[in-house]
Amino acid sequence: MIRHRRMLKDSGLKKVITYGTFDTLHFGHILLLERAKTLGDYLIVGLSSDEFNADKGKISHFTYAERKSFLEAIRFVDEVIPEHDWEQKTRDIIDHQIDIFTMGDDWAGEFDFLSDCCKVHYLSRTPAISSTLIKANLTKSNKKIS
Ligand code: C2G
């Protein structure tokens, strides 16, 4: 993997990183990942572990392994790494020689401190869709069926 990373850096490829839970994957996530990839040549996703989700007050419907497999099936995503805590971003950016950090603009300003080690770019969040909304609608429709 280290040789692979060195090859990427030596090849002059621009590396992008983003983070998230990506539970109940939806078009808001896909549009974010598609635009994130257009910022460079290689996109790494820091995927929140089940434990970190609990720290974030989120209970994801799908496990980390399931969410990772969904992301790896998306052609815009080149690599998925675990996100265990809020503090690892700087280390990830250094270890993976990242050029651009990006997130949806619901996080605008929260990660500006990372501009010390890479470009920080926020992308517009897709309105009217969220994992929470999907889960709420699924619960409502299940109640109607039962
Ligand atoms: N997103 C989006 N449009 C939506 C929903 C989400 O663009 N309708 C973006 C978010 O802005 C984020 C990414 O998709 O950049 C992942 O969103 P979540 O899975 O909700 O991730 P979150 O819980 O915000 O965790 O360290 C950062 C955290 O891990 C982010």
PDB file of all heavy atoms in Angstrom, residues 8 13 17 20 22-23 32 34-35 44 55-56 65 73 75 83 85 89 91 99 117-118 122 131 143 145:
ATOM      1  N   LEU A   8       1.465   6.970  -6.469  1.00  0.00           N
ATOM      2  CA  LEU A   8       0.459   8.011  -6.714  1.00  0.00           C
ATOM      3  C   LEU A   8       1.098   9.385  -6.622  1.00  0.00           C
ATOM      4  O   LEU A   8       0.912  10.246  -7.478  1.00  0.00           O
ATOM      5  CB  LEU A   8      -0.672   7.890  -5.692  1.00  0.00           C
ATOM      6  CG  LEU A   8      -1.683   6.773  -5.927  1.00  0.00           C
ATOM      7  CD1 LEU A   8      -2.590   6.637  -4.721  1.00  0.00           C
ATOM      8  CD2 LEU A   8      -2.491   7.058  -7.179  1.00  0.00           C
ATOM      9  N   LEU A  13      -0.393  12.784  -9.351  1.00  0.00           N
ATOM     10  CA  LEU A  13      -1.849  12.760  -9.215  1.00  0.00           C
ATOM     11  C   LEU A  13      -2.272  13.631  -8.038  1.00  0.00           C
ATOM     12  O   LEU A  13      -1.629  13.637  -6.997  1.00  0.00           O
ATOM     13  CB  LEU A  13      -2.328  11.319  -8.988  1.00  0.00           C
ATOM     14  CG  LEU A  13      -2.274  10.383 -10.201  1.00  0.00           C
ATOM     15  CD1 LEU A  13      -2.754   8.986  -9.797  1.00  0.00           C
ATOM     16  CD2 LEU A  13      -3.121  10.932 -11.342  1.00  0.00           C
ATOM     17  N   ILE A  17      -9.524  14.107  -0.249  1.00  0.00           N
ATOM     18  CA  ILE A  17     -10.127  13.310   0.833  1.00  0.00           C
ATOM     19  C   ILE A  17     -11.405  13.962   1.331  1.00  0.00           C
ATOM     20  O   ILE A  17     -11.520  15.194   1.319  1.00  0.00           O
ATOM     21  CB  ILE A  17      -9.137  13.099   2.001  1.00  0.00           C
ATOM     22  CG1 ILE A  17      -9.595  11.966   2.921  1.00  0.00           C
ATOM     23  CG2 ILE A  17      -8.903  14.397   2.790  1.00  0.00           C
ATOM     24  CD1 ILE A  17      -8.516  11.453   3.864  1.00  0.00           C
ATOM     25  N   GLY A  20     -17.254  10.944   6.132  1.00  0.00           N
ATOM     26  CA  GLY A  20     -18.693  10.895   6.423  1.00  0.00           C
ATOM     27  C   GLY A  20     -19.160   9.539   6.882  1.00  0.00           C
ATOM     28  O   GLY A  20     -18.397   8.581   6.918  1.00  0.00           O
ATOM     29  N   PHE A  22     -22.126   8.148   5.510  1.00  0.00           N
ATOM     30  CA  PHE A  22     -22.638   7.552   4.265  1.00  0.00           C
ATOM     31  C   PHE A  22     -23.563   6.362   4.554  1.00  0.00           C
ATOM     32  O   PHE A  22     -23.425   5.293   3.964  1.00  0.00           O
ATOM     33  CB  PHE A  22     -21.471   7.156   3.353  1.00  0.00           C
ATOM     34  CG  PHE A  22     -20.676   8.344   2.867  1.00  0.00           C
ATOM     35  CD1 PHE A  22     -19.482   8.692   3.485  1.00  0.00           C
ATOM     36  CD2 PHE A  22     -21.152   9.133   1.820  1.00  0.00           C
ATOM     37  CE1 PHE A  22     -18.748   9.797   3.049  1.00  0.00           C
ATOM     38  CE2 PHE A  22     -20.420  10.246   1.382  1.00  0.00           C
ATOM     39  CZ  PHE A  22     -19.214  10.581   2.001  1.00  0.00           C
ATOM     40  N   ASP A  23     -24.485   6.577   5.496  1.00  0.00           N
ATOM     41  CA  ASP A  23     -25.479   5.544   5.772  1.00  0.00           C
ATOM     42  C   ASP A  23     -26.652   5.712   4.818  1.00  0.00           C
ATOM     43  O   ASP A  23     -26.910   6.828   4.347  1.00  0.00           O
ATOM     44  CB  ASP A  23     -25.976   5.689   7.221  1.00  0.00           C
ATOM     45  CG  ASP A  23     -26.769   4.479   7.674  1.00  0.00           C
ATOM     46  OD1 ASP A  23     -26.530   3.376   7.126  1.00  0.00           O
ATOM     47  OD2 ASP A  23     -27.628   4.627   8.550  1.00  0.00           O
ATOM     48  N   LEU A  32     -22.067  14.425  -4.015  1.00  0.00           N
ATOM     49  CA  LEU A  32     -20.916  14.943  -3.257  1.00  0.00           C
ATOM     50  C   LEU A  32     -19.644  14.209  -3.712  1.00  0.00           C
ATOM     51  O   LEU A  32     -18.640  14.847  -4.021  1.00  0.00           O
ATOM     52  CB  LEU A  32     -21.161  14.740  -1.764  1.00  0.00           C
ATOM     53  CG  LEU A  32     -20.207  15.290  -0.707  1.00  0.00           C
ATOM     54  CD1 LEU A  32     -18.928  14.483  -0.572  1.00  0.00           C
ATOM     55  CD2 LEU A  32     -19.885  16.761  -0.926  1.00  0.00           C
ATOM     56  N   GLU A  34     -19.127  12.545  -6.479  1.00  0.00           N
ATOM     57  CA  GLU A  34     -18.822  12.832  -7.898  1.00  0.00           C
ATOM     58  C   GLU A  34     -18.089  14.159  -8.023  1.00  0.00           C
ATOM     59  O   GLU A  34     -17.055  14.270  -8.686  1.00  0.00           O
ATOM     60  CB  GLU A  34     -20.128  12.865  -8.703  1.00  0.00           C
ATOM     61  CG  GLU A  34     -19.912  13.134 -10.179  1.00  0.00           C
ATOM     62  CD  GLU A  34     -21.216  13.051 -10.976  1.00  0.00           C
ATOM     63  OE1 GLU A  34     -22.311  13.189 -10.388  1.00  0.00           O
ATOM     64  OE2 GLU A  34     -21.128  12.830 -12.201  1.00  0.00           O
ATOM     65  N   ARG A  35     -18.583  15.190  -7.307  1.00  0.00           N
ATOM     66  CA  ARG A  35     -17.938  16.508  -7.383  1.00  0.00           C
ATOM     67  C   ARG A  35     -16.583  16.504  -6.690  1.00  0.00           C
ATOM     68  O   ARG A  35     -15.627  17.131  -7.152  1.00  0.00           O
ATOM     69  CB  ARG A  35     -18.876  17.572  -6.798  1.00  0.00           C
ATOM     70  CG  ARG A  35     -20.075  17.902  -7.676  1.00  0.00           C
ATOM     71  CD  ARG A  35     -21.030  18.859  -6.979  1.00  0.00           C
ATOM     72  NE  ARG A  35     -21.651  18.229  -5.821  1.00  0.00           N
ATOM     73  CZ  ARG A  35     -22.142  18.927  -4.787  1.00  0.00           C
ATOM     74  NH1 ARG A  35     -22.067  20.250  -4.758  1.00  0.00           N
ATOM     75  NH2 ARG A  35     -22.697  18.290  -3.770  1.00  0.00           N
ATOM     76  N   ILE A  44     -10.109   9.642  -1.723  1.00  0.00           N
ATOM     77  CA  ILE A  44     -10.154   8.790  -0.529  1.00  0.00           C
ATOM     78  C   ILE A  44     -11.343   9.227   0.313  1.00  0.00           C
ATOM     79  O   ILE A  44     -11.568  10.435   0.496  1.00  0.00           O
ATOM     80  CB  ILE A  44      -8.857   8.927   0.296  1.00  0.00           C
ATOM     81  CG1 ILE A  44      -7.646   8.468  -0.521  1.00  0.00           C
ATOM     82  CG2 ILE A  44      -8.960   8.138   1.608  1.00  0.00           C
ATOM     83  CD1 ILE A  44      -6.302   8.640   0.205  1.00  0.00           C
ATOM     84  N   ASP A  55     -20.264   8.003  18.812  1.00  0.00           N
ATOM     85  CA  ASP A  55     -19.726   9.245  19.404  1.00  0.00           C
ATOM     86  C   ASP A  55     -20.410  10.466  18.786  1.00  0.00           C
ATOM     87  O   ASP A  55     -20.626  11.484  19.446  1.00  0.00           O
ATOM     88  CB  ASP A  55     -18.209   9.366  19.149  1.00  0.00           C
ATOM     89  CG  ASP A  55     -17.419   8.308  19.909  1.00  0.00           C
ATOM     90  OD1 ASP A  55     -18.013   7.649  20.785  1.00  0.00           O
ATOM     91  OD2 ASP A  55     -16.224   8.116  19.588  1.00  0.00           O
ATOM     92  N   LYS A  56     -20.759  10.354  17.464  1.00  0.00           N
ATOM     93  CA  LYS A  56     -21.410  11.487  16.782  1.00  0.00           C
ATOM     94  C   LYS A  56     -22.909  11.520  17.085  1.00  0.00           C
ATOM     95  O   LYS A  56     -23.651  12.348  16.582  1.00  0.00           O
ATOM     96  CB  LYS A  56     -21.213  11.383  15.260  1.00  0.00           C
ATOM     97  CG  LYS A  56     -19.802  11.618  14.777  1.00  0.00           C
ATOM     98  CD  LYS A  56     -19.762  11.882  13.273  1.00  0.00           C
ATOM     99  CE  LYS A  56     -19.915  10.645  12.451  1.00  0.00           C
ATOM    100  NZ  LYS A  56     -19.723  10.893  11.006  1.00  0.00           N
ATOM    101  N   ALA A  65     -18.725  -2.285   7.599  1.00  0.00           N
ATOM    102  CA  ALA A  65     -18.336  -3.178   6.484  1.00  0.00           C
ATOM    103  C   ALA A  65     -19.312  -3.039   5.318  1.00  0.00           C
ATOM    104  O   ALA A  65     -18.902  -2.966   4.146  1.00  0.00           O
ATOM    105  CB  ALA A  65     -18.289  -4.624   6.975  1.00  0.00           C
ATOM    106  N   ALA A  73     -18.079   0.395  -4.377  1.00  0.00           N
ATOM    107  CA  ALA A  73     -18.735   0.072  -5.656  1.00  0.00           C
ATOM    108  C   ALA A  73     -18.965   1.320  -6.497  1.00  0.00           C
ATOM    109  O   ALA A  73     -19.378   1.229  -7.662  1.00  0.00           O
ATOM    110  CB  ALA A  73     -20.073  -0.624  -5.393  1.00  0.00           C
ATOM    111  N   ARG A  75     -17.835   4.383  -8.701  1.00  0.00           N
ATOM    112  CA  ARG A  75     -16.640   4.570  -9.556  1.00  0.00           C
ATOM    113  C   ARG A  75     -15.861   5.831  -9.194  1.00  0.00           C
ATOM    114  O   ARG A  75     -14.679   5.937  -9.524  1.00  0.00           O
ATOM    115  CB  ARG A  75     -17.029   4.578 -11.038  1.00  0.00           C
ATOM    116  CG  ARG A  75     -17.983   5.661 -11.484  1.00  0.00           C
ATOM    117  CD  ARG A  75     -18.396   5.412 -12.951  1.00  0.00           C
ATOM    118  NE  ARG A  75     -19.603   6.136 -13.304  1.00  0.00           N
ATOM    119  CZ  ARG A  75     -19.580   7.364 -13.825  1.00  0.00           C
ATOM    120  NH1 ARG A  75     -18.426   7.982 -14.019  1.00  0.00           N
ATOM    121  NH2 ARG A  75     -20.697   7.981 -14.133  1.00  0.00           N
ATOM    122  N   GLU A  83     -12.701   6.150   9.641  1.00  0.00           N
ATOM    123  CA  GLU A  83     -12.638   7.385  10.432  1.00  0.00           C
ATOM    124  C   GLU A  83     -13.016   7.014  11.862  1.00  0.00           C
ATOM    125  O   GLU A  83     -14.165   6.643  12.131  1.00  0.00           O
ATOM    126  CB  GLU A  83     -13.589   8.445   9.884  1.00  0.00           C
ATOM    127  CG  GLU A  83     -13.538   9.737  10.677  1.00  0.00           C
ATOM    128  CD  GLU A  83     -14.611  10.732  10.280  1.00  0.00           C
ATOM    129  OE1 GLU A  83     -15.719  10.326   9.885  1.00  0.00           O
ATOM    130  OE2 GLU A  83     -14.336  11.941  10.393  1.00  0.00           O
ATOM    131  N   ASP A  85     -12.113   9.034  14.743  1.00  0.00           N
ATOM    132  CA  ASP A  85     -12.292  10.167  15.671  1.00  0.00           C
ATOM    133  C   ASP A  85     -12.198  11.488  14.907  1.00  0.00           C
ATOM    134  O   ASP A  85     -11.858  11.518  13.727  1.00  0.00           O
ATOM    135  CB  ASP A  85     -11.231  10.111  16.784  1.00  0.00           C
ATOM    136  CG  ASP A  85      -9.810  10.060  16.201  1.00  0.00           C
ATOM    137  OD1 ASP A  85      -9.475  10.932  15.374  1.00  0.00           O
ATOM    138  OD2 ASP A  85      -9.065   9.115  16.548  1.00  0.00           O
ATOM    139  N   LYS A  89      -7.837  13.753  11.035  1.00  0.00           N
ATOM    140  CA  LYS A  89      -7.793  14.321   9.674  1.00  0.00           C
ATOM    141  C   LYS A  89      -6.397  14.828   9.293  1.00  0.00           C
ATOM    142  O   LYS A  89      -5.883  14.542   8.227  1.00  0.00           O
ATOM    143  CB  LYS A  89      -8.826  15.437   9.524  1.00  0.00           C
ATOM    144  CG  LYS A  89     -10.279  14.921   9.591  1.00  0.00           C
ATOM    145  CD  LYS A  89     -11.290  16.035   9.398  1.00  0.00           C
ATOM    146  CE  LYS A  89     -12.710  15.499   9.380  1.00  0.00           C
ATOM    147  NZ  LYS A  89     -13.134  14.975  10.685  1.00  0.00           N
ATOM    148  N   ARG A  91      -3.542  13.953  10.428  1.00  0.00           N
ATOM    149  CA  ARG A  91      -2.612  12.805  10.248  1.00  0.00           C
ATOM    150  C   ARG A  91      -2.899  12.101   8.910  1.00  0.00           C
ATOM    151  O   ARG A  91      -1.981  11.785   8.155  1.00  0.00           O
ATOM    152  CB  ARG A  91      -2.789  11.829  11.424  1.00  0.00           C
ATOM    153  CG  ARG A  91      -1.698  10.773  11.529  1.00  0.00           C
ATOM    154  CD  ARG A  91      -1.832   9.943  12.801  1.00  0.00           C
ATOM    155  NE  ARG A  91      -3.082   9.209  12.846  1.00  0.00           N
ATOM    156  CZ  ARG A  91      -4.066   9.454  13.724  1.00  0.00           C
ATOM    157  NH1 ARG A  91      -3.930  10.451  14.581  1.00  0.00           N
ATOM    158  NH2 ARG A  91      -5.157   8.730  13.730  1.00  0.00           N
ATOM    159  N   ASP A  99      -3.906  16.523  -1.290  1.00  0.00           N
ATOM    160  CA  ASP A  99      -3.813  17.897  -1.817  1.00  0.00           C
ATOM    161  C   ASP A  99      -5.046  18.729  -1.459  1.00  0.00           C
ATOM    162  O   ASP A  99      -4.964  19.929  -1.232  1.00  0.00           O
ATOM    163  CB  ASP A  99      -3.682  17.840  -3.357  1.00  0.00           C
ATOM    164  CG  ASP A  99      -2.436  17.075  -3.798  1.00  0.00           C
ATOM    165  OD1 ASP A  99      -1.342  17.643  -3.666  1.00  0.00           O
ATOM    166  OD2 ASP A  99      -2.573  15.891  -4.199  1.00  0.00           O
ATOM    167  N   CYS A 117      -2.383  22.416   5.999  1.00  0.00           N
ATOM    168  CA  CYS A 117      -1.661  21.284   5.356  1.00  0.00           C
ATOM    169  C   CYS A 117      -2.239  20.868   4.011  1.00  0.00           C
ATOM    170  O   CYS A 117      -1.693  19.997   3.337  1.00  0.00           O
ATOM    171  CB  CYS A 117      -1.575  20.086   6.278  1.00  0.00           C
ATOM    172  SG  CYS A 117      -3.042  19.679   7.173  1.00  0.00           S
ATOM    173  N   CYS A 118      -3.360  21.461   3.613  1.00  0.00           N
ATOM    174  CA  CYS A 118      -3.862  21.169   2.254  1.00  0.00           C
ATOM    175  C   CYS A 118      -4.941  22.192   1.914  1.00  0.00           C
ATOM    176  O   CYS A 118      -5.377  22.962   2.786  1.00  0.00           O
ATOM    177  CB  CYS A 118      -4.445  19.757   2.185  1.00  0.00           C
ATOM    178  SG  CYS A 118      -6.006  19.553   3.045  1.00  0.00           S
ATOM    179  N   TYR A 122     -15.284  23.495   0.314  1.00  0.00           N
ATOM    180  CA  TYR A 122     -16.619  23.008   0.689  1.00  0.00           C
ATOM    181  C   TYR A 122     -17.515  22.975  -0.548  1.00  0.00           C
ATOM    182  O   TYR A 122     -17.491  23.904  -1.347  1.00  0.00           O
ATOM    183  CB  TYR A 122     -17.225  23.913   1.766  1.00  0.00           C
ATOM    184  CG  TYR A 122     -16.423  23.920   3.054  1.00  0.00           C
ATOM    185  CD1 TYR A 122     -15.564  24.983   3.365  1.00  0.00           C
ATOM    186  CD2 TYR A 122     -16.478  22.848   3.942  1.00  0.00           C
ATOM    187  CE1 TYR A 122     -14.813  24.987   4.521  1.00  0.00           C
ATOM    188  CE2 TYR A 122     -15.722  22.846   5.114  1.00  0.00           C
ATOM    189  CZ  TYR A 122     -14.891  23.917   5.393  1.00  0.00           C
ATOM    190  OH  TYR A 122     -14.141  23.911   6.536  1.00  0.00           O
ATOM    191  N   SER A 131     -30.080  10.883   5.094  1.00  0.00           N
ATOM    192  CA  SER A 131     -30.290   9.524   5.622  1.00  0.00           C
ATOM    193  C   SER A 131     -31.406   9.541   6.657  1.00  0.00           C
ATOM    194  O   SER A 131     -32.230   8.628   6.715  1.00  0.00           O
ATOM    195  CB  SER A 131     -28.982   9.013   6.245  1.00  0.00           C
ATOM    196  OG  SER A 131     -27.967   8.969   5.266  1.00  0.00           O
ATOM    197  N   LYS A 143     -45.038   1.259   9.056  1.00  0.00           N
ATOM    198  CA  LYS A 143     -46.178   1.291   9.999  1.00  0.00           C
ATOM    199  C   LYS A 143     -47.481   1.147   9.213  1.00  0.00           C
ATOM    200  O   LYS A 143     -48.397   0.435   9.617  1.00  0.00           O
ATOM    201  CB  LYS A 143     -46.179   2.602  10.800  1.00  0.00           C
ATOM    202  CG  LYS A 143     -45.184   2.608  11.963  1.00  0.00           C
ATOM    203  CD  LYS A 143     -45.197   3.888  12.740  1.00  0.00           C
ATOM    204  CE  LYS A 143     -44.113   3.861  13.859  1.00  0.00           C
ATOM    205  NZ  LYS A 143     -43.750   5.240  14.272  1.00  0.00           N
ATOM    206  N   ILE A 145     -47.908  -0.415   6.372  1.00  0.00           N
ATOM    207  CA  ILE A 145     -48.047  -1.790   5.840  1.00  0.00           C
ATOM    208  C   ILE A 145     -48.473  -2.749   6.950  1.00  0.00           C
ATOM    209  O   ILE A 145     -49.312  -3.619   6.767  1.00  0.00           O
ATOM    210  CB  ILE A 145     -46.688  -2.255   5.229  1.00  0.00           C
ATOM    211  CG1 ILE A 145     -46.329  -1.372   4.021  1.00  0.00           C
ATOM    212  CG2 ILE A 145     -46.750  -3.734   4.841  1.00  0.00           C
ATOM    213  CD1 ILE A 145     -44.898  -1.546   3.546  1.00  0.00           C
TER     214      ILE A 145
END
